[in-house]
């Protein structure tokens, strides 16, 4: 029986339902922690940041991904004030950020902006904004932050507009020794209207916006072409800009 790690974010609800329907055992962990769990043999595969699949100890295998075609809604730079990205001066990132901060770094360097980055110890927008004028927040916290803070930039829209690709944030990863035996590209995440109701309750979004988030914005099905394009862009960006790999 396959053991699979999913993130504790509301977007994963349709995926969890579909995985359980196929008899897969589910564990829950943030994507960077899922990477460590798979390395230790505590799970067979799971959603890990694609940033950590580049020159890492895990490799991507056919299976669920997390991406959007443009706007993402739950990967945001926010601020107390109405700022443009170039006005941020510094951005503090949520500690679970891996792929998002790499996309952001590549994009701002391509745009020629001068913005400093640091990584905070809390995922909460309010805590991060006590450190810097702008904060990179992810997942449910980003959805909640839409109610209380100004949106500086939706990272998905920035990636699409400045880098020309659909942003892929996480993909199914596994140890090379298990990769050939794992193929989950047949998984079809199933949205249920209750998902929107629960997401609205947890995050404060309207039910209409929650439904749009699940049905139109966040994509979870495997797309080999999009994954390959995103990984190549990140790998090239890391090399060109001399970004650290961990």
């Amino acid at each position: 029986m396959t053991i699979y790690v999913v993130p504790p974010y509301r977007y994963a609800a349709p995926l969890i339902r579909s995985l359980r329907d196929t008899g897969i055992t589910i564990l829950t962990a943030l994507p960077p922690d899922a990477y460590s769990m798979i390395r230790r043999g505590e799970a067979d595969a799971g959603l890990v940041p694609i940033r950590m699949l580049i020159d890492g100890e895990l490799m991507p295998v056919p299976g669920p991904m997390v991406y959007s075609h443009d706007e993402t809604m739950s990967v945001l730079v926010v601020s107390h004030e109405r700022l443009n990205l170039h006005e941020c001066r510094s951005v503090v990132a949520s500690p679970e950020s891996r792929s998002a901060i790499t996309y952001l770094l590549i994009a701002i360097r391509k745009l020629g902006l001068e913005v400093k980055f640091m990584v905070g110890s809390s995922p909460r927008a309010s805590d991060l904004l006590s450190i810097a004028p702008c904060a990179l927040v992810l997942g449910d916290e980003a959805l909640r932050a839409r109610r209380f803070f100004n949106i500086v930039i939706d990272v998905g829209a920035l990636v699409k507009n400045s880098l020309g690709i659909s942003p892929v944030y996480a993909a199914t990863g596994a140890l090379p020794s298990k990769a050939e035996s794992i193929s989950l590209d047949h998984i079809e995440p199933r949205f249920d209207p209750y998902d929107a109701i629960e997401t609205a309750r947890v995050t404060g979004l309207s039910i209409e916006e929650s439904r749009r988030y699940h049905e139109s914005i966040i994509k979870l099905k495997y797309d080999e072409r999009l994954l390959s394009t995103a990984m190549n862009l990140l790998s090239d960006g890391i090399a060109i800009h001399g970004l650290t790999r961990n």
Side-chain angles (χ1 to χ4, degrees):
M1 180 179 293
T2 301
I3 301 174
Y4 193 93
V5 191
V6 298
Y9 298 139
R10 285 299 307 153
Y11 69 66
L15 175 59
I16 292 171
R17 182 179 304 110
S18 299
L19 289 169
R20 283 180 174 157
D21 285 350
T22 62
I24 292 172
T25 298
I26 303 295
L27 299 178
T28 302
L30 292 170
D33 297 329
Y35 179 92
S36 299
M37 291 170 67
I38 297 166
R39 285 181 57 208
R40 294 193 298 263
E42 297 169 10
D44 301 304
L47 283 171
V48 301
I50 69 165
R51 174 68 179 78
M52 299 178 76
L53 293 174
I54 298 171
D55 291 349
E57 295 183 35
L58 305 186
M59 62 183 294
V61 297
M65 298 165 28
V66 182
Y67 64 99
S68 66
H69 288 301
D70 193 323
E71 175 193 16
T72 303
M73 284 184 68
S74 55
V75 185
L76 303 176
V77 176
V78 298
S79 177
H80 286 296
E81 303 176 44
R82 294 186 181 277
L83 300 175
N84 293 318
L85 185 57
H86 71 273
E87 297 174 307
C88 280
R89 301 187 307 279
S90 62
V91 176
V92 59
S94 178
E96 70 266 33
S97 173
R98 295 294 188 282
S99 304
I101 195 170
T102 306
Y103 281 128
L104 194 50
L105 282 165
I106 293 171
I108 66 164
R109 293 191 180 185
K110 181 174 182 179
L111 294 170
L113 304 181
E114 293 291 333
V115 181
K116 295 180 180 179
F117 282 87
M118 63 192 88
V119 177
S121 59
S122 168
R124 291 173 57 85
S126 57
D127 294 338
L128 298 173
L129 289 173
S130 69
I131 301 171
C134 298
L136 171 62
V137 287
L138 311 178
D140 296 353
E141 178 63 17
L143 296 179
R144 284 188 286 267
R146 300 174 73 89
R147 299 169 55 207
F148 303 108
F149 303 102
N150 291 297
I151 298 173
V152 176
I153 197 77
D154 181 300
V155 173
L158 176 68
V159 170
K160 184 67 173 182
N161 293 335
S162 65
L163 303 180
I165 69 163
S166 297
V168 179
Y169 301 100
T172 298
L175 287 168
S177 60
K178 293 189 175 183
E180 290 188 6
S181 64
I182 295 175
S183 182
L184 300 171
D185 55 329
H186 62 284
I187 297 294
E188 291 276 0
R190 290 190 300 104
F191 171 76
D192 184 284
Y194 176 76
D195 294 333
I197 295 171
E198 186 63 8
T199 296
R201 184 190 70 79
V202 169
T203 67
L205 286 180
S206 69
I207 291 179
E208 292 75 16
E209 282 291 276
S210 296
R211 177 181 287 274
R212 185 171 78 91
Y213 178 63
H214 284 288
E215 289 193 305
S216 303
I217 302 296
I218 293 294
K219 309 297 182 183
L220 299 167
K221 176 134 177 67
Y222 182 61
D223 188 314
E224 182 180 10
R225 181 185 63 82
L226 291 183
L227 177 59
S228 176
T229 299
M231 290 192 67
N232 286 338
L233 181 141
L234 288 183
S235 184
D236 290 346
I238 290 166
I240 291 169
H241 298 295
L243 305 178
T244 59
R245 292 184 175 267
N246 296 312

